[in-house]
Amino acid sequence: MAGAVLDNADRTLADRRDHNRLGFAVQLGTVRFSGWPCDPTNMPAEVVNYAATQLQIADPSCLKAYSQWEKTRLEHV
């Protein structure tokens, strides 16, 4: 995800909960990088950690909760 930096507008698009913000950010980064949305919960830890650092999320493992709400994931795609 080198170069997939989130700007302030990107950060305001996602829900306030950390797992949603992180899941959305990872999807956004993969779409920008590859042209396709990917399941954020299956991304390498390096990608998730990179996005979490940008969002100032201390615990990137919160992303596990993102997969619980299919509706949210579909809305983010």
Side-chain angles (χ1 to χ4, degrees):
M1 270 181 51
V5 177
L6 302 171
D7 62 24
N8 287 336
D10 297 334
R11 291 183 187 105
T12 61
L13 290 173
D15 191 87
R16 290 183 219 149
R17 288 179 257 163
D18 283 352
H19 64 276
N20 286 342
R21 292 174 49 229
L22 186 53
F24 178 79
V26 171
Q27 280 195 48
L28 182 62
T30 58
V31 166
R32 288 182 177 166
F33 182 75
S34 69
W36 289 95
C38 299
D39 179 0
T41 60
N42 288 329
M43 295 303 295
E46 294 84 0
V47 173
V48 174
N49 292 339
Y50 185 78
T53 298
Q54 289 186 65
L55 296 170
Q56 299 178 340
I57 295 174
D59 183 13
S61 70
C62 72
L63 185 60
K64 294 174 192 169
Y66 188 70
S67 63
Q68 293 176 352
W69 300 99
E70 184 174 351
K71 181 181 176 195
T72 300
R73 288 182 308 177
L74 293 174
E75 288 175 357
H76 287 178
V77 170

